[in-house]
């Protein structure tokens, strides 16, 4: 384990073990400064939940080793990556420390729905990944969201799906129950 | 190819036969050349969000590699009317 004592859910395929706060190139920094309190809480919550099951909960090293040894970012590798988990996002930064307002929005939306177990890849750590994923999905920007191996869109689309209820439905198809449904049930039953 | 709000607006309007286009230069809010667009076109009818956005991306294929951040909203004329009534 690269970061000792950290049994947490960790973004996989990260080139460096520590999360580096890149000050420059931060988009929407105003939103981030304001949200630092809740991001701190979210991060703390993530640390508590972690990734349950055995093997220290870290499937990361296996994935990372496979990518670095081949030294590339081929369509086949990306294809395998996006199909490996039900929910896969490519971000600038990490869920604990998004480095861009749009990436942050994706993280927050997933958090709102109670989606904790998802794969997040930081494109800032890997220029090949950053370009490779754009070529793979034929989509010009980051963040990128994949559900069940299929490209869904970026931040704009995820936000609209969240607002119009489509995201709850899509998560349901993946066997993920959005906590927003539970909140609604609580409200209805009062 | 000039990266101005006006040029983008004109291109989107023309190629997507748009009823209404708004292009906002959001560069000051971001760290580099950035835009937010609203496109209203009947070409979006019956198309899911991703397909609509891809149409816009295709229209601006030449410009997008030079744009750092890009936000888009795509509506059919009917959706646009409803939104304006809110």
């Amino acid at each position: 384990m690269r970061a000792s004592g950290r049994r947490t859910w960790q973004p996989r395929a990260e080139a460096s073990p520590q999360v580096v706060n890149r000050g420059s190139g931060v988009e929407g920094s105003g939103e981030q400064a304001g949200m630092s309190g809740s991001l701190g809480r979210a991060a703390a919550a993530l640390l508590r939940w972690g990734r349950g099951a055995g093997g220290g909960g870290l499937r990361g090293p296996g994935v990372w080793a496979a990518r670095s040894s081949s030294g590339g970012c081929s369509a086949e590798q990306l294809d395998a990556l996006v199909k490996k988990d039900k929910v896969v996002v490519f971000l600038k930064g990490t869920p604990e420390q998004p480095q861009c307002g749009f990436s942050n929005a994706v993280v927050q939306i997933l958090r709102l729905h109670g989606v904790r177990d998802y794969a997040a890849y930081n494109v800032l750590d890997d220029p090949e990944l950053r370009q490779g994923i754009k070529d793979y999905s034929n989509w010009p920007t980051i963040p990128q969201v994949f559900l069940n191996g299929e490209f869904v869109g970026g931040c704009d689309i995820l936000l609209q799906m969240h607002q119009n209820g489509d995201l709850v439905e899509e998560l349901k198809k993946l066997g993920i129950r959005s906590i927003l449904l539970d909140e609604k049930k609580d409200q209805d039953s009062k | 190819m000039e990266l101005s709000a006006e040029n983008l607006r004109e291109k989107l309007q023309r190629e997507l036969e748009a009823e209404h286009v708004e292009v906002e230069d959001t560069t000051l809010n971001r760290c580099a050349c950035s835009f937010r667009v609203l496109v209203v076109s009947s070409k979006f009818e019956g198309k899911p969000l991703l397909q609509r956005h891809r149409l816009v991306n295709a229209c601006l294929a030449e410009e997008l590699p030079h744009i750092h951040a890009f936000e888009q909203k795509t509506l059919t004329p009917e959706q646009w009317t409803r939104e304006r009534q809110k």
Side-chain angles (χ1 to χ4, degrees), chain A residues 116-184:
Chain A
R116 305 179 323 228
D117 205 16
Y118 63 94
Y121 299 97
N122 182 359
V123 303
L124 294 179
D125 273 344
D126 187 344
E128 280 186 25
L129 176 65
R130 187 172 178 172
Q131 188 53 49
I133 194 61
K134 289 179 189 176
D135 295 335
Y136 174 80
S137 37
N138 188 23
W139 188 261
T141 50
I142 306 290
Q144 295 194 8
V145 180
F146 289 78
L147 294 179
N148 207 29
E150 217 179 284
F151 179 61
V152 160
C155 163
D156 287 341
I157 291 181
L158 196 72
L159 182 60
Q160 287 181 65
M161 287 174 68
H162 163 64
Q163 289 168 335
N164 66 18
D166 282 352
L167 184 54
V168 171
E169 286 308 309
E170 290 303 312
L171 289 173
K172 199 188 273 183
K173 289 181 196 169
L174 298 179
I176 300 172
R177 183 180 168 82
S178 167
I179 58 172
L180 292 182
L181 285 172
D182 298 329
E183 284 176 11
K184 187 177 183 307

Side-chain angles (χ1 to χ4, degrees), chain A residues 27 137-140 151 156, chain B residues 50 53-54 57 68 71-72:
Chain A
E27 297 177 36
S137 37
N138 188 23
W139 188 261
F151 179 61
D156 287 341
Chain B
L50 182 57
H53 285 223
R54 285 201 187 281
N57 289 352
H68 177 71
E71 297 167 82
Q72 54 169 303

Side-chain angles (χ1 to χ4, degrees), chain A residues 25-38:
Chain A
V26 175
E27 297 177 36
S29 52
E31 320 162 52
Q32 283 197 60
M35 290 196 75
S36 59
S38 58

Side-chain angles (χ1 to χ4, degrees), chain A residues 45-82:
Chain A
L46 282 170
L47 282 167
R48 271 202 309 277
W49 289 325
R51 229 200 207 173
L58 269 183
R59 283 186 276 147
V63 175
W64 183 76
R67 281 204 52 244
S68 64
S69 64
S70 61
C73 215
S74 70
E76 291 78 27
Q77 284 170 312
L78 290 173
D79 197 62
L81 216 57
V82 305

